[in-house]
Amino acid sequence: GAAGCVATLLHDAAMNPAEVVKQRMQMYNSPYQRVTDCVRAVWHNEGAGAFYRSYTTQLTMNIPFQAIHFMTYEFLQEQLNPHRQYNPGSHMVSGACAGAVAAAATTPLDVCKTLLNTQESLALSSNISGHITGMANAFRTVYQVGGLTAYFRGVQARVIYQMPSTAIAWSVYEFFKYILTKHQEEWRAGK
């Protein structure tokens, strides 16, 4: 658990600036043609802190995502594969469903993270300070702009994106675990 938390802290620290740039370039009518243009403009207009405005939200999203993801996978494996045999079908189904549940449950956090990263103009016009900073401010702004349903905008796309990703990840993990365990057993038997 501690290793997973430290890995998430480091991963998100390294990837958060890239996520900010990606989301700003994906916005409708984005003024940026190149990554370097976006990086320079954000740095010049908003400072280095803009690349980490959503860092705590990213962590707040990724830690629960991983917890829900792993618990759901283990629960489904108990149901579908109680003897814990190598079974690619059960690994894929469990992985896909675990990713779907985790993605759906953490969508409100993803919506707020996206708002923090993009500083979307409609949301900014409803915000007195002109910048949306911090998760609490993002949650209030999302609610002001769109009500409760706004927290789940894009939930279907997020679930569809995560399902194959987590199905593949668990299938590959279980495959290599099976191969390595089999190899280790053969090595012990040959001793």
Side-chain angles (χ1 to χ4, degrees):
C5 287
V6 171
T8 300
L9 287 168
L10 296 175
H11 171 270
D12 290 355
M15 294 307 297
N16 210 82
E19 183 75 8
V20 169
V21 171
K22 176 187 76 84
Q23 288 179 342
R24 288 186 184 220
M25 292 187 74
Q26 289 176 331
M27 287 172 48
Y28 180 72
N29 284 334
S30 175
Y32 310 111
Q33 296 299 313
R34 295 189 311 251
V35 169
T36 54
D37 296 337
C38 183
V39 170
R40 271 194 291 269
V42 170
W43 185 276
H44 177 72
N45 297 331
E46 301 174 54
F51 292 107
Y52 288 94
R53 203 176 272 135
S54 66
Y55 180 62
T56 55
T57 303
Q58 183 81 10
L59 291 175
T60 305
M61 179 180 66
N62 283 344
I63 291 170
F65 178 93
Q66 293 300 345
I68 293 166
H69 176 202
F70 276 80
M71 289 187 301
T72 304
Y73 181 81
E74 288 299 320
F75 172 78
L76 290 171
Q77 280 296 286
E78 284 294 320
Q79 306 305 308
L80 300 175
N81 189 7
H83 299 296
R84 298 301 178 117
Q85 301 295 316
Y86 176 65
N87 182 332
S90 78
H91 302 317
M92 288 185 80
V93 169
S94 296
C97 291
V101 169
T106 58
T107 294
L109 295 165
D110 193 42
V111 168
C112 292
K113 177 198 72 159
T114 300
L115 177 59
L116 286 166
N117 282 344
T118 61
Q119 299 290 302
E120 204 272 324
S121 60
L122 175 63
L124 286 176
S125 66
S126 71
N127 188 292
I128 296 168
S129 71
H131 272 53
I132 298 162
T133 56
M135 194 166 54
N137 189 221
F139 267 96
R140 278 191 302 274
T141 304
V142 168
Y143 184 77
Q144 287 171 339
V145 171
L148 286 176
T149 58
Y151 292 115
F152 291 94
R153 289 200 61 195
V155 67
Q156 297 91 349
R158 186 166 154 75
V159 166
I160 290 167
Y161 172 82
Q162 287 295 334
M163 287 180 75
S165 173
T166 51
I168 292 166
W170 280 111
S171 298
V172 170
Y173 168 79
E174 294 288 357
F175 171 75
F176 279 102
K177 186 171 105 175
Y178 170 74
I179 294 297
L180 292 172
T181 303
K182 185 177 173 185
H183 178 70
Q184 188 177 33
E185 288 171 359
E186 289 171 356
W187 182 75
R188 285 184 182 155
K191 253 181 136 176

